[in-house]
Amino acid sequence: MMDGESRDSLVKILFFAKARELSGLKESRAKLPANISYQSLLDTIIEKFGLESIRDSVILSLNEEYLAANGTLNLSDQDEIAVIPPLSGG
Amino acid sequence: MNEEELIREIVALRKTLREKKDTLRRLQRDKHVVQECGLTNEEIGRYSRQILVPEIGVKGQLKLKKSSVLIVGAGGLGCPAALYLVGAGIGHIGIIDYDEVEINNLHRQLLHSEESIRVSKVVSATAALTRLNSSVNITPYKMQLDSSNALGIVKQYDVILDATDNVATRYLLNDACVLTGKPLVSGSALKFEGQLTVYNYRGPCYRCVFPTPPPPETVTNCGDGGVLGAAVGTIGVLQALEAMKIILEMSGVLAGRLLLFDGTETLFRNVKLRPKNQNCLICGDNSTIDKLIDYEEFCRAKANDKNPGLKLLKESERLSVKEYHKFADSSATSHVLIDVRSHEEFEICKLPNSINVPFTQISKPNGHALVEQVIRSMRNGDTRIDVIVICRRGNDSQKAVKILKGLINDEAVNIRDVIGGIHAWAKNVDPTFPIY
Ligand SMILES: [Zn+2]
């Protein structure tokens, strides 16, 4: 493919707290478009891993940096995305 | 001498001992020699090992002595945090908790002991902390922190520790800290995991990062999900560390970063958080919240981690444990008992002939198929089949009945749950059954 727009990246996805419980996974890999908006990234992860119930209460990070909800990302292979719901117990 | 007399005598002796110790301490304090540096000889001796650390020194020790820290929650986070803060010589510690000590607290809440079961947690914690360091002034608050009392208490302290166990109190404390301008050292834990950050201190507040509370049905508390003492303790100790760094005005405070601790692999990850949200409802430029609100309503959840006492079903859809006991004994009709607790709980104890399908599985294809298969195997022509669902306390069982009724459209299948679950069974039918 010559077209950079449709390139995919193979990223690692880490799950914490309730996201870990719901998905049954600590981590996984996913092929995602290299150029992707925050909203479609969130949609894809939520749907793929059954996280609908916590959709509005998680934050996402890319390589250990918080992702702003209005941005567009440029993903590379080996990038690490974390799905972080708040923990409230103690 | 009988047991009761002996207990009375021990209580009286303890009281006398305490009074004599207090008198002795007063006598000794009057003789204290204060050095030019501002510390007494006793303080120099006691804190010498941390005064020797360059970041602390005499100046740092005096700062700690003049400071005050409020610990909200005397549980798995608050106990270790309080131990280290009191050990380090913070001048004034406030501890808030409405609850009493239960035996299931003792594996992680290490300020409390077997002797303190049924005693107020703040009383038990104060006694243990005073034994460690009697020179620290400790104020116990046996109360539930709420919108009417939070600001008055929070504003009296320099640093606030969120060591609570529920979502509503977390938002309440955040807002109270923003409104009074106090740094909030927020810790939380569940199972093997923990989270830690400092809110409202050169960075975002809790609402900036998590503006929307999680739906209550997605919140797992320690009473349901379980928690390891050493995991929650790790976070509690780090809360004490962050509080001291704030007091010492050090630069490396964990603000604007979220620490994710995974005890299963002993991994510590630091996620850089967003900066303060200009549109944050409480700390933003045009904040709309200028006083504390109703946080139980905002979070649609009670400000504790106790039994929510759900009422989702009609009376006709429920059986008391005594009714179920009779029903199972005289079971002319075929019935199936489905226990929707986790596998771990099922392993602790179970009723005879129960089938374990954890609640988390019941709406998923596998769990649903298992229930249908059981029902099919019992089906004999048009005979009526009773499906009884049981859980620990009678909350999940109601949700499970709702889900199963939606999935199984069969006139002959009557699905009900057991009120109060196996807790009620232990209380009203079989006193040899364990309670956890
Ligand atoms: Zn904020």
Side-chain angles (χ1 to χ4, degrees):
Chain A
M1 281 278 237
M2 296 292 289
D3 187 2
E5 288 302 306
S6 55
R7 195 167 47 84
D8 283 340
S9 293
L10 188 62
V11 301
K12 190 174 179 182
I13 304 180
L14 304 172
F15 301 95
F16 292 93
K18 193 70 185 183
R20 185 173 284 191
E21 198 181 308
L22 291 171
S23 68
L25 298 166
K26 271 189 188 176
E27 58 175 74
S28 180
R29 292 194 164 273
K31 211 175 223 183
L32 296 168
N35 282 297
I36 187 169
S37 72
Y38 174 90
Q39 285 306 327
S40 24
L41 175 69
L42 180 66
D43 289 343
T44 310
I45 293 176
I46 294 293
E47 196 197 341
K48 191 172 160 77
F49 298 101
L51 307 177
E52 285 81 6
S53 59
I54 53 172
R55 184 199 170 85
D56 296 332
S57 51
V58 300
I59 57 172
L60 298 183
S61 71
L62 171 61
N63 300 331
E64 308 198 336
E65 280 210 31
Y66 174 92
L67 284 175
N70 50 11
T72 302
L73 319 170
N74 207 337
L75 299 174
S76 314
D77 288 341
Q78 314 303 327
D79 273 353
E80 222 176 57
I81 293 168
V83 184
I84 310 166
L87 270 183
S88 45
Chain B
M1 191 179 274
N2 68 27
E3 198 179 318
E4 238 169 72
E5 283 171 357
L6 197 55
I7 291 173
R8 259 202 303 278
E9 193 181 344
I10 291 173
V11 169
L13 285 171
R14 278 213 190 101
K15 185 162 177 268
T16 312
L17 180 65
R18 212 168 37 238
E19 287 165 358
K20 287 192 184 297
K21 274 186 180 165
D22 284 347
T23 313
L24 178 63
R25 253 197 308 271
R26 266 197 302 279
L27 286 172
Q28 288 173 335
R29 201 167 292 162
D30 291 343
K31 287 194 289 186
H32 279 176
V33 180
V34 182
Q35 296 297 331
E36 216 174 296
C37 69
L39 295 169
T40 66
N41 284 357
E42 195 211 335
E43 287 165 342
I44 291 169
R46 176 186 280 260
Y47 305 117
S48 56
R49 296 303 183 269
Q50 70 188 36
I51 293 173
L52 292 175
V53 178
E55 283 82 355
I56 303 194
V58 168
K59 275 200 192 104
Q61 193 60 50
L62 288 167
K63 278 185 192 168
L64 295 176
K65 187 181 170 181
K66 281 191 204 111
S67 69
S68 56
V69 176
L70 178 67
I71 302 171
V72 185
L77 296 163
C79 286
L83 269 171
Y84 280 92
L85 291 171
V86 166
I90 300 290
H92 179 203
I93 299 274
I95 309 177
I96 308 184
D97 206 306
Y98 66 92
D99 213 357
E100 275 102 41
V101 179
E102 292 177 48
I103 196 163
N104 65 39
N105 300 149
L106 300 187
H107 79 117
R108 69 188 191 283
Q109 304 180 9
L110 302 183
L111 286 177
H112 315 307
S113 60
E114 290 173 8
E115 276 179 23
S116 4
I117 291 170
R118 285 187 295 277
V119 172
S120 147
K121 282 189 181 176
V122 291
V123 169
S124 159
T126 305
L129 294 168
T130 306
R131 273 198 297 278
L132 170 64
N133 191 346
S134 61
S135 65
V136 174
N137 172 20
I138 297 168
T139 307
Y141 302 87
K142 182 174 169 36
M143 57 161 74
Q144 169 96 55
L145 196 72
D146 62 32
S147 304
S148 73
N149 56 29
L151 291 175
I153 299 171
V154 164
K155 71 174 180 210
Q156 297 172 42
Y157 292 84
D158 300 325
V159 181
I160 316 300
L161 261 57
D162 186 341
T164 64
D165 57 12
N166 68 85
V167 183
T169 310
R170 289 183 182 276
Y171 280 94
L172 163 69
L173 258 186
N174 178 70
D175 290 4
C177 284
V178 172
L179 293 176
T180 54
K182 305 290 182 181
L184 176 62
V185 183
S186 171
S188 56
L190 188 71
K191 297 178 181 156
F192 270 91
E193 275 188 89
Q195 294 182 353
L196 175 75
T197 187
V198 178
Y199 289 119
N200 197 39
Y201 184 77
R202 302 172 188 167
C205 81
Y206 190 45
R207 278 184 193 263
C208 291
V209 182
F210 296 108
T212 314
E217 65 278 10
T218 70
V219 177
T220 311
N221 62 39
C222 295
D224 293 328
V227 64
L228 250 84
V232 63
T234 301
I235 299 296
V237 172
L238 289 173
Q239 285 184 278
L241 181 69
E242 292 308 314
M244 284 195 267
K245 282 158 62 187
I246 294 169
I247 293 162
L248 295 167
E249 298 168 276
M250 290 174 61
S251 58
V253 173
L254 188 76
R257 289 181 288 150
L258 174 65
L259 173 81
L260 303 169
F261 169 57
D262 180 350
T264 61
E265 300 182 48
T266 318
L267 277 174
F268 289 85
R269 283 191 186 81
N270 251 279
V271 172
K272 189 167 174 277
L273 291 175
R274 59 164 305 140
K276 212 170 139 118
N277 177 2
Q278 304 303 327
N279 300 316
C280 176
L281 293 183
I282 184 93
C283 82
D285 296 339
N286 305 304
S287 67
T288 55
I289 305 173
D290 56 1
K291 58 177 193 293
L292 299 177
I293 58 168
D294 183 338
Y295 294 88
E296 295 193 334
E297 188 191 309
F298 175 59
C299 301
R300 292 181 291 132
K302 286 274 167 221
N304 61 52
D305 73 343
K306 303 291 183 210
N307 186 359
L310 295 183
K311 284 198 184 73
L312 303 173
L313 300 178
K314 289 186 288 233
E315 238 171 79
S316 61
E317 296 172 298
R318 315 199 70 189
L319 286 170
S320 74
V321 281
K322 288 197 168 146
E323 281 164 344
Y324 173 72
H325 190 207
K326 248 189 254 161
F327 173 85
D329 268 358
S330 66
S331 186
T333 45
S334 45
H335 87 279
V336 49
L337 179 63
I338 296 176
D339 188 326
V340 295
R341 293 174 302 148
S342 68
H343 292 306
E344 290 74 20
E345 293 175 86
F346 195 67
E347 217 169 61
I348 296 174
C349 57
K350 56 175 183 271
L351 292 185
N353 303 319
S354 50
I355 297 165
N356 187 209
V357 186
F359 179 71
T360 48
Q361 298 298 317
I362 220 125
S363 59
K364 291 191 181 159
N366 283 349
H368 172 204
L370 183 62
V371 176
E372 283 197 319
Q373 189 194 322
V374 172
I375 292 169
R376 238 194 336 271
S377 70
M378 296 182 60
R379 197 78 199 248
N380 181 13
D382 288 336
T383 50
R384 183 187 140 97
I385 296 174
D386 279 291
V387 174
I388 314 290
V389 182
I390 195 163
C391 67
R392 176 151 67 126
R393 296 177 305 195
N395 296 311
D396 280 352
S397 58
Q398 296 183 67
K399 295 188 211 162
V401 167
K402 286 249 175 216
I403 293 171
L404 288 175
K405 283 197 168 179
L407 293 171
I408 298 166
N409 275 318
D410 191 334
E411 289 285 296
V413 179
N414 187 24
I415 310 173
R416 287 175 290 174
D417 90 319
V418 178
I419 300 167
I422 62 156
H423 265 205
W425 182 264
K427 216 170 136 202
N428 301 322
V429 176
D430 182 359
T432 69
F433 223 70
I435 291 180
Y436 62 90

